[in-house]
Amino acid sequence: MISNHLLFKLASGEVFGQDQPIALKLLRSESSVQALEGVVMELQDSLYPLLREVSIGIDPYVIFEDADWALLIGAKPRGPGMERAAILDINGQIFAEQGKALNAVASRNVEVIVVGNRCNTNALICLKNAPDLPAKNFHALTRLDENRARFQLALQAGVFYDKVANMTIWGNHSTTQVPDFLNAKISGRPVKEVIKDTKWLEEDFTITVQKRGGVLIEKWGRSSAASTAVSIVDAMRSLVTPSPEGDWFSTGVYTTGNPYGIAEDLVFSMPCRSNGDGDYELVQDVATDDFLGDRIKKSEAELIAEKRCVAHLTEEKGHKVPNGKNDSCKK
């Protein structure tokens, strides 16, 4: 469902502009072949002038060949009664194999955006299995969370969402994520000067953003496919378009060398800027207070626990793997 919304946006030039031809190479499962063939027919019949090729296949070593961008969207959802360790392992094996395929055949500067949950840890697994590719090029999608946070602040302040800037999502794409109202701005002013209700910011706002995806599933009966597709487009455009002066965006990135004291060797959402060439830099000196700092540490601890669960998929070959059977994996 996410891909069905996304493909038409990519083909129309929404990401790379109206002068950049594009080839879509679609990786399918055995069960999705007929549906995907129908999507390809619709893409062909839409006569997008920039769409020069659409191909489908089941082998990632064929589909990922020379890819400049890899959007890894599919993952198995967590079913009733399924332990966290089980779903992490099942999806982790998928992303380990995709990492190996990217490492073997993709462009040496391929940009990888992992959407399938749990996306932070899946992105870590993927990059660990692609040692010949820059770890910096792997992202976990937290842009939907940022978009949700911007909307909630705009709604509370009675302004349009384009007045909200400097919005950061810290941590994991989960209910431990930390929407940062301390550094965000509304119409150029700190949020806390515009919205003076600290209790609303710390409770209602934070919890609403953290649980928005689950509430949507309860209302709609399905996950947020359309808005996820929009956020993937936003995330890609943030890397190929220069960041506005003084502003930044959120993306889950590899933590090694980060300036915020976040544990090394995780994929953690942080504030980033880009000059529009596909690369990014971490924003320096973003302030935190006790409220944000405590919650950032909780999200960090969750990701450390997830990493422990999938140690067998992330450790280098021949390296001793710590015991992954930890109580935290069962929650």
Side-chain angles (χ1 to χ4, degrees), residues 113-180:
I113 298 180
V114 177
V115 181
N117 279 320
R118 301 173 72 97
C119 62
N120 293 61
T121 296
N122 289 337
L124 180 67
I125 293 168
C126 194
L127 74 86
K128 286 292 188 178
N129 284 275
D132 299 328
L133 301 176
K136 192 179 183 184
N137 287 19
F138 288 76
H139 299 258
L141 184 75
T142 56
R143 187 56 172 269
L144 179 56
D145 306 306
E146 178 189 328
N147 289 353
R148 289 166 168 168
R150 289 177 64 194
F151 173 74
Q152 293 301 318
L153 290 176
L155 186 66
Q156 184 71 7
V159 300
F160 198 56
Y161 70 85
D162 66 351
K163 300 299 183 183
V164 181
N166 302 98
M167 185 66 235
T168 306
I169 300 295
W170 298 91
N172 199 4
H173 174 63
S174 75
T175 55
T176 70
Q177 66 179 266
V178 187
D180 181 350

Side-chain angles (χ1 to χ4, degrees), residues 177-197:
Q177 66 179 266
V178 187
D180 181 350
F181 55 81
L182 179 65
N183 295 287
K185 295 180 180 179
I186 297 175
S187 300
R189 298 169 59 199
V191 162
K192 295 183 77 172
E193 290 183 8
V194 178
I195 301 173
K196 299 184 184 296
D197 187 345

Side-chain angles (χ1 to χ4, degrees), residues 219-237:
K219 299 280 189 183
W220 184 222
R222 63 187 70 177
S223 61
S224 48
S227 55
T228 300
V230 169
S231 72
I232 296 169
V233 168
D234 290 341
M236 296 174 75
R237 276 201 301 237

